Amino acid sequence: MTTSHPTGDVLYAEDMTATATSAPETLHNQTFIDLENEVAAHNYNPLPVVVNKAEGIWVYDVEGNKYLDALSGYSALNFGHRHPALVDAAKDQLDRLTLTSRAFHNDALGPFCRDLAALVGKEAILPMNTGAEAVETALKIARKWGYTVKGVTPGRAKIIVMAGNFHGRTTTIVSFSDDPEAHDHYGPYTPGFETVPYADLAAIEAAIDDDTVAVLVEPIQGEQGVQIPKEGFLPELRALCTDRNVLMIADEIQSGLGRTGTTLACGYEGVEADMYTLGKALGGGIIPVSAVAANRNIMDVITPGTHGSTFGGNPLAAAVGHAVVKLLATGEHQAHAAELEPVFREQLEGLMGKGLVGVRVRGLWAGVDIDPEVMTGKAACKALMKKGVLAKDTHGSTIRLAPPLTITKDELLMITDAVAAVVSEAIASN
Ligand SMILES: Cc1ncc(COP(=O)(O)O)c(C=O)c1O
């Protein structure tokens, strides 16, 4: 393929890729960064690394440098890059059938939905593609349940959301985001949402009225820097929602599917939400796959023609999602994440007062607050990159660490050792 761009230069995409494998020394990260800056929208501010191959926990840039992926595509790569079972499932499906639309049945969707429903303890699955679509779907189901089952006055359904939330980028979802970058200048905004402080049970209780159909909660707020609610909040919220006949929707798109040491983050405290939104890792790092899981009494408010998606539930996505479910069904990855949690915590907490001012760990997921006097989160991520570890900053001085669940203890220590070295070097140079 040949691409012309505004300067009049002609770039040969395949040539670049071919050169990447045949003569890495002739390629520079900056060449690709410059091209991207010129021709792609500037809606991200990535680290200056251009990845062109990956395996397991490791990624390689076009200059041949090797990095440990400590972000895992924001948990979309929970099983590492190109997990053999997932790649095999995708290849097998690619050779047979990729897309039917939902105008026809396909033989991959039923088995996927059956096993995913069993994995998360629900009766039915509504498959979509991106996380935001799953959240939108859950909001629609909750509103429709409110009108047709609970008996809320038409047009008045209210959904309670939490401050600091991140549920995606659609216009409805950003309507109730309190992050100015995500929210501002995208109005007019969708009404029907009330925001309360995160994990504040009294505030939720006070906000519930006769029009309330649901409470939407991230069991752990990932984008907010892995904020973990105090123990007891989720069970109390569950009891409150049951008591007031309000649906509890748990957005497990980032927290779910093994990341926290249990299949779902809600499971840590034995809580069962009414609806789960799932995404990211469900696609195995191969294809976008998301879903809403609920029991029939809720899911069945959706009837033919009332909701859908051209790609949702396509055979390729279903085959990969099914392979992901099979990996999780053994419990092995969850157990591994739970087993490494104390090591992860101990290593990071050991840096408290030595460059770190906050550490939150659940499973193989950590939010690390760097002392702003020492360095910014972005500077820390750039320094980590130079040490061969890729991570992502959020909210100024926090970095999120979420390595693939396939990581070994020694490899995990490479991450924490790199964090230790980065902050101690920054302190020494200040
Ligand atoms: C909790 C949560 N919900 C929803 C989303 C949106 O997912 P997507 O980017 O696939 O639309 C994200 C993405 O980071 C998320 O973390």
Side-chain angles (χ1 to χ4, degrees):
M1 189 192 81
T2 312
T3 316
S4 294
H5 65 97
T7 60
D9 292 326
V10 176
L11 296 157
Y12 299 91
E14 278 96 2
D15 287 357
M16 284 187 179
T17 317
T19 329
T21 34
S22 52
E25 67 281 359
T26 63
L27 283 170
H28 299 288
N29 285 319
Q30 200 55 48
T31 312
F32 294 88
I33 294 169
D34 290 345
L35 172 62
E36 216 179 280
N37 280 337
E38 195 169 332
V39 297
H42 298 161
N43 54 334
Y44 283 90
N45 182 19
L47 285 175
V49 56
V50 180
V51 176
N52 80 340
K53 63 175 184 173
E55 182 150 14
I57 65 165
W58 301 104
V59 300
Y60 301 83
D61 71 10
V62 293
E63 294 174 14
N65 301 306
K66 180 180 176 181
Y67 306 88
L68 199 168
D69 185 351
L71 179 66
S72 307
Y74 302 96
S75 287
L77 288 153
N78 275 1
F79 312 98
H81 294 264
R82 298 170 48 247
H83 187 289
L86 305 180
V87 169
D88 283 352
K91 281 184 176 163
D92 180 57
Q93 193 62 44
L94 274 171
D95 285 341
R96 289 192 294 117
L97 174 73
T98 53
L99 185 68
T100 54
S101 90
R102 298 289 302 279
F104 317 122
H105 294 277
N106 73 70
D107 66 354
L109 182 59
F112 164 54
C113 292
R114 177 197 60 210
D115 292 351
L116 178 57
L119 182 76
V120 300
K122 291 293 174 200
E123 291 168 357
I125 299 296
L126 198 162
M128 298 294 284
N129 312 285
T130 65
E133 286 174 294
V135 173
E136 286 276 348
T137 302
L139 298 175
K140 286 172 75 176
I141 294 173
R143 284 180 169 184
K144 197 163 182 190
W145 173 87
Y147 298 127
T148 62
V149 178
K150 184 171 175 175
V152 170
T153 309
R156 292 185 57 92
K158 179 168 101 178
I159 295 175
I160 296 169
V161 297
M162 314 274 154
N165 69 70
F166 187 86
H167 298 286
R169 301 286 192 171
T170 64
T171 43
T172 287
I173 291 171
V174 301
S175 293
F176 56 81
S177 168
D178 54 12
D179 174 357
E181 286 190 345
H183 172 275
D184 290 357
H185 310 299
Y186 295 125
Y189 298 106
T190 308
F193 300 95
E194 183 172 334
T195 306
V196 297
Y198 182 58
D200 183 337
L201 196 78
I204 298 169
E205 194 164 6
I208 293 178
D209 59 25
D210 290 346
D211 296 329
T212 307
V213 296
V215 175
L216 173 63
V217 64
E218 291 160 86
I220 291 175
Q221 286 189 330
E223 296 297 308
Q224 200 52 244
V226 191
Q227 298 295 339
I228 304 174
K230 70 172 189 333
E231 201 127 343
F233 165 68
L234 291 170
E236 284 165 10
L237 177 63
R238 171 66 279 174
L240 177 66
C241 287
T242 304
D243 188 46
R244 303 292 294 270
N245 194 25
V246 162
L247 300 180
M248 177 179 174
I249 309 172
D251 182 346
E252 294 264 12
I253 287 164
Q254 195 164 157
S255 59
L257 306 182
R259 172 59 52 197
T260 62
T262 45
T263 300
L264 299 172
C266 282
Y268 184 84
E269 291 189 76
V271 166
E272 191 188 330
D274 296 300
M275 259 194 279
Y276 297 113
T277 56
L278 304 165
K280 295 196 191 279
L282 195 54
I286 295 177
I287 183 170
V289 187
S290 69
V292 172
N295 282 340
R296 279 282 167 213
N297 61 328
I298 295 167
M299 189 65 90
D300 283 352
V301 302
I302 298 294
T303 52
T306 58
H307 188 65
S309 156
T310 302
F311 293 102
N314 73 73
L316 182 58
V320 172
H322 197 185
V324 166
V325 170
K326 286 179 188 162
L327 286 183
L328 286 166
T330 68
E332 187 191 318
H333 292 284
Q334 299 89 317
H336 184 63
E339 200 179 296
L340 288 184
E341 177 182 314
V343 180
F344 208 13
R345 176 177 298 110
E346 192 191 331
Q347 294 298 313
L348 292 171
E349 283 184 349
L351 301 173
M352 286 291 283
K354 298 178 193 156
L356 302 190
V357 291
V359 168
R360 298 166 296 280
V361 180
R362 176 70 52 85
L364 275 170
W365 207 15
V368 171
D369 301 331
I370 301 194
D371 184 347
E373 307 271 300
V374 172
M375 67 202 309
T376 63
K378 184 90 186 172
C381 288
K382 282 189 176 160
L384 279 171
M385 186 186 129
K386 290 205 180 107
K387 295 196 180 298
V389 171
L390 296 182
K392 178 73 178 83
D393 58 300
T394 182
H395 296 280
S397 58
T398 298
I399 53 178
R400 230 174 327 166
L401 300 169
L405 307 181
T406 51
I407 197 166
T408 65
K409 182 179 166 190
D410 286 348
E411 291 162 342
L412 187 65
L413 294 177
M414 288 182 194
I415 300 177
T416 52
D417 286 353
V419 173
V422 159
V423 287
S424 77
E425 283 165 22
I427 291 169
S429 70
N430 275 347

